[in-house]
């Protein structure tokens, strides 16, 4: 008898050749590797290593995202702006997972719908930069492009792009994802643990509000248990990985042909998004990602026209497949109410149902007089509100949020109920890239989004 899982479907050679077509196209935001032989060796090594995620999981995520696009689920995507190798510790990973799980509980309870949990984690190591170089005093060096490319220290040695970092990026992603899988499959994410995720922060108001919610959930779970319900389902949660699909010398060798279907999947993460700076229609990134099966996100900033959006749909989602395409809008608090409705209006005239997700971070950056890159919590909140207002007005589904956050008590964004001000930023500013919401600001935001979801 033939075992269908043993059947290897060989890919069409044209499909495989297409995976390298991007090499002939204009490309942005790639490092200048000093040594092409070393890059080729790193690529070959990556290509021989096991996939980090499996095609079946990726397909399941696409199905989940399709539900969110229809308004039957909500996506919570969060994590660092830039993960670092040094930051891939058990404590930091656990705190981030905990914060995301807590936010998900708040959202699930508030919205009474499934929440898809996704980390900007286990591979978010490559960063686009506004300038190729950085100047301090009279020294100019290559810009920091994320730990998978070069080091943050401002020395010529550290800022030199180093291909061995590609392989280290893979291994750090693997160990991070392994711990995430252990946490979310091994009992730590059991809904009966809702209280324990909240330990250590009892004094602050968002946590007190969370405690109240956790008590209600406890009561409901106990009632259902007493009534004989089987809670195996509560022990595990699905948790997906994602990062910006930016660094082609990493993503290409991580792409494999699925033996079931002969289709290419990028196995570096379940979900990849194309950034605001690399989403040119005739550029390398769009060409590469249109050929892979993973669900794809595209960031849309305030200058996006309905025509660009329509062409992105045609290229990236020609079959109009639910769950395939996510638009992550990052308009800015002062712009979202003007810039988003025309795009939503236009979508009602196309035969497409992308998932709409709000990134309330990247349109709201500012630099303080004392030199910190920061964001105001109030602007983040205001953009989220504007996002919900726009969807309510047009009748489309607000399907998720995309946030830069950490589980630690950092002081990187201004405001929130701890009233972080410009002076306080210096006390614990740890991000190497964009400022993140801290644990408490993240939880506060979740309560606010839950309220909005309750209305929509
Ligand atoms: C990011 O998500 O960190 C980022 C750089 O976003 P954008 O492409 O929207 O600027
Ligand atoms: Mn960022």
């Amino acid at each position: 008898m033939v075992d269908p899982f043993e059947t290897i479907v060989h890919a069409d050679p044209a499909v495989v050749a297409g995976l390298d077509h991007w090499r002939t196209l204009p490309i942005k935001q790639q490092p200048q590797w000093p040594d092409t032989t070393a890059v080729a060796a790193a690529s070959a090594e990556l290509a021989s290593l096991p996939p980090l995620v499996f095609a079946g999981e990726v397909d399941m995520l696409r199905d989940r995202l399709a539900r969110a696009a229809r308004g039957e689920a909500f996506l919570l995507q969060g994590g660092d702006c830039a993960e670092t190798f040094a930051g891939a510790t058990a404590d930091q990973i656990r705190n981030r997972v905990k914060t995301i799980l807590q936010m998900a509980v708040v959202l699930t309870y508030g919205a009474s719908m499934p929440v898809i949990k996704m980390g900007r984690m286990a591979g978010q190591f490559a960063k686009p930069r506004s300038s190729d170089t950085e100047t301090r005093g009279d020294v100019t060096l290559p810009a920091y492009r994320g730990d998978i490319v070069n080091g943050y220290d401002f020395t010529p040695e550290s800022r030199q792009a180093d291909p061995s970092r590609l392989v280290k990026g893979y291994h750090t992603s693997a160990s991070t994802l392994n711990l995430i899988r252990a946490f979310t499959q091994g009992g730590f994410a059991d809904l009966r643990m809702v209280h324990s995720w909240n330990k250590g922060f009892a004094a602050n108001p968002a946590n007190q509000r969370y405690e109240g919610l956790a008590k209600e959930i406890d009561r409901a779970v106990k009632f259902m248990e007493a009534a004989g319900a089987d809670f195996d389902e509560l022990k595990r949660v699905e948790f997906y990985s994602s990062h910006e699909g930016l660094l082609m010398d990493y993503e290409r060798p991580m792409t494999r042909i699925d033996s079931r279907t002969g289709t290419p999947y990028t196995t570096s993460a379940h979900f990849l998004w194309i950034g605001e700076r690399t989403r040119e229609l005739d550029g390398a990134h769009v060409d590469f990602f249109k050929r892979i099966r993973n669900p794809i996100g595209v960031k849309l900033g305030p200058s996006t026209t309905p025509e660009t959006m329509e062409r992105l749909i045609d290229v990236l989602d020609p079959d109009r497949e639910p769950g395939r395409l996510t638009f992550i809008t990052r308009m800015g608090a002062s712009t979202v109410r003007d810039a988003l409705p025309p795009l939503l209006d236009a979508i009602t005239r196309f035969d497409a149902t992308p998932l709409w997700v709000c990134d309330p971070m990247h349109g709201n950056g500012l630099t303080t007089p004392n030199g910190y890159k920061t964001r105001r919590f109030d602007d983040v909140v205001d953009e989220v509100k504007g996002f919900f207002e726009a969807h309510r007005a047009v009748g489309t589904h607000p399907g998720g949020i995309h946030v830069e956050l950490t589980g630690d008590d950092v002081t990187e964004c201004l405001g929130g109920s701890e009233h972080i001000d410009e002076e306080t930023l210096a006390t614990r500013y740890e991000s190497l890239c964009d400022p993140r919401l801290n644990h408490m600001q993240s939880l506060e935001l979740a309560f606010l989004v839950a309220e909005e979801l309750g209305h929509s």
Side-chain angles (χ1 to χ4, degrees):
M1 204 170 84
V2 179
D3 176 349
F5 295 103
E6 288 290 308
T7 312
I8 306 290
V9 177
H10 289 288
D12 177 344
V15 167
V16 177
L19 291 174
D20 287 305
H21 184 62
W22 61 271
R23 296 182 196 277
T24 66
L25 300 174
I27 187 162
K28 289 193 174 155
Q29 298 286 345
Q30 304 303 294
Q32 296 285 323
W33 301 110
D35 176 353
T36 49
T37 325
V39 181
S43 280
E45 186 172 352
L46 287 173
S48 72
L49 288 165
L52 294 175
V53 303
F54 297 99
E57 300 173 328
V58 171
D59 293 342
M60 197 181 297
L61 173 62
R62 196 183 318 98
D63 177 63
R64 304 286 185 258
L65 296 175
R67 290 188 202 172
R70 289 195 297 266
E72 297 160 9
F74 193 77
L75 173 67
L76 170 62
Q77 188 176 17
D80 280 328
C81 176
E83 287 180 290
T84 61
F85 295 162
T89 64
D91 277 357
Q92 288 189 43
I93 294 164
R94 186 201 52 226
N95 287 348
R96 239 172 304 150
V97 169
K98 246 193 320 198
T99 300
I100 294 172
L101 291 176
Q102 283 187 272
M103 291 175 80
V105 162
V106 170
L107 292 171
T108 310
Y109 205 74
S112 296
M113 64 164 91
V115 172
I116 306 157
K117 293 158 258 324
M118 191 188 281
R120 273 178 74 113
M121 290 178 79
Q124 176 53 22
F125 291 119
K127 296 309 299 174
R129 303 317 306 253
S130 44
S131 166
D132 283 344
T133 57
E134 181 183 346
T135 301
R136 294 190 195 172
D138 47 15
V139 182
T140 296
L141 294 174
Y144 170 64
R145 291 191 170 274
D147 272 14
I148 199 165
V149 173
N150 57 1
Y152 185 72
D153 286 350
F154 196 70
T155 64
E157 300 72 36
S158 144
R159 287 295 171 96
Q160 167 94 268
D162 173 1
S164 73
R165 286 176 172 269
L166 291 163
V167 178
K168 184 151 187 198
Y170 168 90
H171 289 296
T172 311
S173 299
S175 59
T176 301
L177 193 55
N178 181 56
L179 194 59
I180 293 174
R181 289 188 193 275
F183 280 148
T184 54
Q185 302 299 310
F188 177 81
D190 191 319
L191 204 47
R192 283 162 289 195
M193 306 269 287
V194 274
H195 287 288
S196 70
W197 303 335
N198 207 26
K199 275 193 184 120
F201 305 99
N204 69 49
N207 279 322
Q208 279 171 8
R209 200 168 165 193
Y210 177 84
E211 267 308 310
L213 186 84
K215 280 200 187 101
E216 278 184 49
I217 292 171
D218 250 5
R219 264 202 301 275
V221 169
K222 288 212 174 83
F223 168 75
M224 294 298 287
E225 267 175 340
D230 173 5
F231 275 129
D232 253 17
E233 284 291 312
L234 297 186
K235 288 199 188 108
R236 285 173 288 277
V237 300
E238 285 174 24
F239 197 105
Y240 295 99
S241 64
S242 72
H243 60 257
E244 176 170 350
L246 178 70
L247 186 60
M248 295 306 299
D249 291 314
Y250 184 71
E251 303 304 342
R252 174 63 187 93
M254 288 305 295
T255 299
R256 309 288 152 78
I257 304 298
D258 175 28
S259 58
R260 304 165 309 167
T261 56
T263 337
Y265 285 72
T266 291
T267 64
S268 62
H270 299 106
F271 179 95
L272 286 299
W273 75 87
I274 308 174
E276 169 77 353
R277 294 174 184 78
T278 50
R279 60 168 172 76
E280 286 79 28
L281 281 150
D282 48 5
H285 289 84
V286 167
D287 185 83
F288 179 73
F289 286 106
K290 78 180 185 194
R291 298 167 192 271
I292 67 161
R293 266 307 269 151
N294 306 55
I296 297 298
V298 184
K299 293 281 199 97
L300 299 182
S303 64
T304 314
T305 61
E307 293 69 40
T308 302
M309 183 185 70
E310 184 175 16
R311 288 184 60 201
L312 282 166
I313 294 170
D314 281 340
V315 175
L316 291 166
D317 184 20
D319 301 329
R320 305 295 194 261
E321 189 183 10
R324 158 71 182 169
L325 182 61
T326 297
F327 283 135
I328 306 167
T329 62
R330 24 92 82 222
M331 301 297 183
S334 59
T335 318
V336 62
R337 289 170 181 84
D338 298 322
L340 186 55
L343 298 181
L344 301 181
D345 254 337
I347 215 83
T348 61
R349 294 190 300 274
F350 302 157
D351 55 345
T353 321
L355 168 60
W356 291 100
V357 170
C358 175
D359 165 358
M361 315 300 292
H362 288 90
N364 294 311
L366 62 104
T367 304
T368 60
N370 53 352
Y372 284 98
K373 248 174 117 177
T374 187
R375 292 156 174 155
R376 287 194 194 89
F377 183 71
D378 286 352
D379 291 340
V380 170
V381 166
D382 192 36
E383 176 153 0
V384 169
K385 286 190 169 159
F387 172 81
F388 276 94
E389 280 166 33
H391 282 281
R392 273 197 289 269
V394 180
T396 39
H397 297 299
I401 53 167
H402 177 119
V403 271
E404 289 184 341
L405 58 78
T406 166
D408 300 324
D409 292 333
V410 299
T411 55
E412 298 173 3
C413 291
L414 296 166
S417 55
E418 288 167 316
H419 306 294
I420 294 170
D421 60 18
E422 290 184 13
E423 271 63 59
T424 320
L425 289 179
T427 49
R428 194 170 168 194
Y429 194 105
E430 294 177 1
S431 178
L432 299 192
C433 216
D434 291 335
R436 302 157 298 176
L437 299 180
N438 63 22
H439 167 80
M440 171 131 153
Q441 290 167 331
S442 304
L443 214 47
E444 284 179 70
L445 182 68
F447 278 112
L448 177 113
V449 174
E451 275 164 26
E452 291 290 335
L453 277 169
H455 299 159
S456 56

